[in-house]
Amino acid sequence: PYLTEEAVGVARRYGLGEVRWYTVFGGEHTRAVLDRYRAGLPPGRSVDEAADELSRATLTDLSGRAPHQIVTCELDGHALVLTGTDSSALTGTAAAHAALAVLNGELPPGQLHFAELPDPARLARRMAEAPAVTGLRPLDGPLAELPLEEGIL
């Protein structure tokens, strides 16, 4: 599976020997478009055309449902579930809160990954109050014990 640079950094920071990262799509169309462009744009296809195709596929997969993002983490039998309105809103929320922390002198200026912050839990608690975050739920047990319901993980 694809691991972000930050996921690799978190694994190193905490001495984790194995990290699994999965991306789940709510339909088949978005994934099909992403798979088609995995090797890059084919000749004669513009970035704008590919973006339009991806947008249409995403809207098709979302048909009748509200956009949402669910991020789950599990370590040593404990889990955390973050739910949000969508991935862009969550990314923007994290960036805005980080910028405010820099302006307030709580963080040094520069580029840091979330896990490299002096107190990432503090920023996460603040972010949990943001409109883009619809839930932040710690679980005293593994994700496998979380009851499955329509629309949640």
Side-chain angles (χ1 to χ4, degrees), residues 100-126:
L100 288 172
V102 170
L103 288 173
N104 292 334
E106 300 167 15
L107 292 177
Q111 180 180 342
L112 293 173
H113 286 191
F114 196 88
E116 296 171 331
L117 299 176
D119 188 1
R122 181 176 169 191
L123 187 54
R125 284 189 300 274
R126 270 197 214 153

Side-chain angles (χ1 to χ4, degrees), residues 71-104:
V71 179
T72 60
C73 303
E74 184 177 341
L75 179 64
D76 294 335
H78 298 280
L80 181 71
V81 179
L82 168 74
T83 55
T85 56
D86 66 56
S87 61
S88 296
L90 289 174
T91 300
T93 296
H97 281 276
L100 288 172
V102 170
L103 288 173
N104 292 334

Side-chain angles (χ1 to χ4, degrees), residues 24-120:
V24 179
F25 295 95
E28 61 190 47
H29 300 90
T30 302
R31 176 69 188 251
V33 170
L34 292 173
D35 284 346
R36 215 170 17 262
Y37 291 109
R38 185 180 306 222
L41 289 174
R45 191 81 169 158
S46 74
V47 171
D48 287 341
E49 290 170 323
D52 287 342
E53 184 181 0
L54 181 59
S55 180
R56 283 190 308 275
T58 301
L59 291 173
T60 300
D61 285 342
L62 278 174
S63 181
R65 295 182 289 169
H68 66 280
Q69 178 82 14
I70 303 171
V71 179
T72 60
C73 303
E74 184 177 341
L75 179 64
D76 294 335
H78 298 280
L80 181 71
V81 179
L82 168 74
T83 55
T85 56
D86 66 56
S87 61
S88 296
L90 289 174
T91 300
T93 296
H97 281 276
L100 288 172
V102 170
L103 288 173
N104 292 334
E106 300 167 15
L107 292 177
Q111 180 180 342
L112 293 173
H113 286 191
F114 196 88
E116 296 171 331
L117 299 176
D119 188 1

